[in-house]
Amino acid sequence: MHQLLRGAARERRVFPANVFLYEDGDRRVLFDTGYAPLPWRTGPAGAAYRLLLPPHVPAGASAGAQVSDPGTVTHVVLSHLHPDHVGGLSAFPTAAVVVSEPVRRTLAAPRLRDGVLAGLLPDDLDRRLLVVPDDAFGQGTGPGGLRTADLFGDGSYRLVDLPGHAPGHLGAVIEGRVLLAADAAWGRDLLGQEHRIRPVPRAVADDHPAQRTTAAQLLDAERSGVRLLFSHDHHRTDVDLLGADLLGADQLGVDQHRTGADLPAGDDHEPGRADAHRSTDEGGPP
């Protein structure tokens, strides 16, 4: 952590790569897809990534292995295009892939700093894209003044514009109660600490001033009663994250150095349920 934040104590931290599954009737919406099973066939760029941020993906820990009936997932929402968020995409071959307009532009012409490993993406991705245009996001329509776009038109799943970390970076507000904040911060304990980030990790951000603004809006959203869930925090994987008793549920009994994941009990899920699944890396989220 001392390499990430000025003044932080020296410690080793494992960052889970969480995905979140929301089920409501016939909809099965997966937020991000975590890491791809190893080995990767991504050439020198992938080798450099694995050297910098060594992923640990035990057998059975990928999203494709953990999510029951992956062929029935109807939508995959990609928060952005980094390998720990898109790696498992090929395991969900029939899902529409929801992206923002800036993510579509990045796919068309990725830069080196965008961190796109083309070998992780399915060949038919262009055909499956469901692109949410910039003008679909209403100003101040979400908690904390965040901009949101209603994915299904019924308020159950609203995409959230979270600029700063990567071009077109998205989150999601689910049933008005839980906000999936992706990589808007590298952990809830680091939200609001953006001014302490050291120059090298700060350079990873697409727009550091925007990242600080997003952090302030997320803190306002949390104060309004919305629960924040970040992609690289430790979350319980055997609880309904939309359940009534949520206070601290994602932290209870979780070993901060644990890897892999536990599936929710059984293979069947009740409608209106959100669960977390994860793989891990030993560095930090890019």
Side-chain angles (χ1 to χ4, degrees):
M1 289 300 293
H2 72 289
Q3 295 176 334
L4 177 61
L5 296 182
R6 292 191 299 269
R10 182 182 292 271
E11 65 173 293
R12 183 178 181 83
R13 181 161 175 170
V14 174
F15 290 86
N18 290 291
V19 307
F20 299 89
L21 179 66
Y22 173 67
E23 300 184 284
D24 184 13
D26 293 334
R27 294 176 190 156
R28 301 188 82 209
V29 186
L30 190 67
F31 185 86
D32 285 334
T33 65
Y35 276 118
L38 298 169
W40 300 350
R41 294 174 176 82
T42 50
Y49 179 94
R50 295 193 300 274
L51 182 64
L52 179 64
L53 298 166
H56 180 57
V57 190
S62 66
Q66 293 188 60
V67 174
S68 63
D69 299 325
T72 65
V73 170
T74 57
H75 299 77
V76 171
V77 176
L78 294 183
S79 63
H80 60 299
L81 295 173
H82 291 161
D84 50 333
H85 297 263
V86 306
L89 188 56
S90 294
F92 306 95
T94 61
V97 181
V98 181
V99 300
S100 65
E101 179 61 33
V103 164
R104 186 202 63 78
R105 292 195 293 266
T106 298
L107 282 169
R111 305 166 298 172
L112 179 62
R113 68 170 298 179
D114 291 325
V116 178
L117 299 182
L120 298 178
L121 302 175
D123 293 337
D124 65 346
L125 180 58
D126 285 346
R127 177 182 63 81
R128 295 165 53 196
L129 287 180
L130 176 58
V131 181
V132 183
D134 293 335
D135 60 9
F137 290 86
Q139 190 68 39
T141 53
L146 292 161
R147 299 172 65 237
T148 66
D150 193 340
L151 181 57
F152 300 115
D154 60 5
S156 64
Y157 203 105
R158 288 183 290 157
L159 303 174
V160 186
D161 182 26
L162 298 175
H165 178 69
H169 185 240
L170 290 178
V173 176
I174 301 177
E175 296 186 3
R177 290 182 279 169
V178 170
L179 197 161
L180 307 181
D183 284 6
W186 289 358
R188 172 59 189 85
D189 60 321
L190 303 179
L191 185 65
Q193 300 298 312
E194 290 74 22
H195 61 288
R196 297 176 57 200
I197 297 177
R198 292 185 181 276
V200 171
R202 179 179 298 185
V204 173
D206 175 63
D207 185 337
H208 185 67
Q211 191 175 38
R212 294 183 68 167
T213 299
T214 293
Q217 291 177 298
L218 286 171
L219 288 168
D220 285 343
E222 187 176 59
R223 283 190 284 268
S224 76
V226 174
R227 187 161 179 253
L228 305 181
L229 299 179
F230 292 89
S231 291
H232 299 292
D233 273 333
H234 289 260
H235 305 293
R236 281 271 300 273
T237 59
D238 56 352
V239 296
D240 178 1
L241 297 174
L242 295 177
D245 185 14
L246 291 175
L247 184 59
D250 57 336
Q251 297 296 330
L252 294 176
V254 176
D255 180 347
Q256 293 295 306
H257 296 281
R258 170 180 179 180
T259 60
D262 296 324
L263 282 171
D267 291 332
D268 297 325
H269 300 271
E270 298 175 358
R273 178 181 176 93
D275 298 295
H277 308 265
R278 64 172 169 267
S279 54
T280 65
D281 67 61
E282 297 181 3

